[in-house]
Amino acid sequence: MGFNGYFFVIREDDNKIIGIIDLRHTLNDFGNSGYSVRSSEKKGYASEMLRLLLKYAKEMSLKELHLSVESDNVPSIKTIIKNDGKLERSFEFEKN
């Protein structure tokens, strides 16, 4: 049986949505997880979100978590590495 989970990160003191992270049972071209953090909130939220998602994925018996990251997204690359991940590939998004 598959699962999909979408988790919103909401700061308690002002109920502001800080970010979103998801976990998909199946892989697609971009992996089985993705996240986004509000650009004004670069305070370690992404690392904590990914840490908690990794814990949840393990509880769901998922053996691997795959994230895709744009090659110039250094903060996300650092977040993955900080959570004991490794960069296997990245992509470039064509901007018009």
Side-chain angles (χ1 to χ4, degrees), residues 43-83:
K43 298 176 178 103
Y45 289 108
S47 290
E48 182 65 5
M49 290 165 50
L50 186 53
R51 184 189 72 77
L52 291 170
L53 189 71
L54 287 164
K55 181 180 174 185
Y56 178 74
K58 188 174 183 178
E59 291 170 3
M60 298 300 293
S61 300
L62 194 63
K63 295 186 189 315
E64 292 185 325
L65 187 65
H66 293 260
L67 293 154
S68 289
V69 60
E70 287 186 70
S71 56
D72 63 352
N73 189 339
V74 175
S76 284
I77 293 169
K78 288 181 178 181
T79 296
I80 292 166
I81 292 169
K82 182 177 181 180
N83 280 280

Side-chain angles (χ1 to χ4, degrees), residues 2-15:
F3 57 87
N4 290 314
Y6 299 90
F7 306 94
F8 287 90
V9 178
I10 301 172
R11 189 170 42 218
E12 290 182 358
D13 63 344
D14 62 2
N15 287 326

Side-chain angles (χ1 to χ4, degrees), residues 12 15-16 23 25 33 36 39 45 51 53 60 63 65 74 83 86-87 90 92-93:
E12 290 182 358
N15 287 326
K16 184 176 184 180
L23 179 65
H25 177 72
S33 181
S36 180
S39 61
Y45 289 108
R51 184 189 72 77
L53 189 71
M60 298 300 293
K63 295 186 189 315
L65 187 65
V74 175
N83 280 280
K86 64 180 178 177
L87 184 62
S90 61
E92 291 186 23
F93 184 73

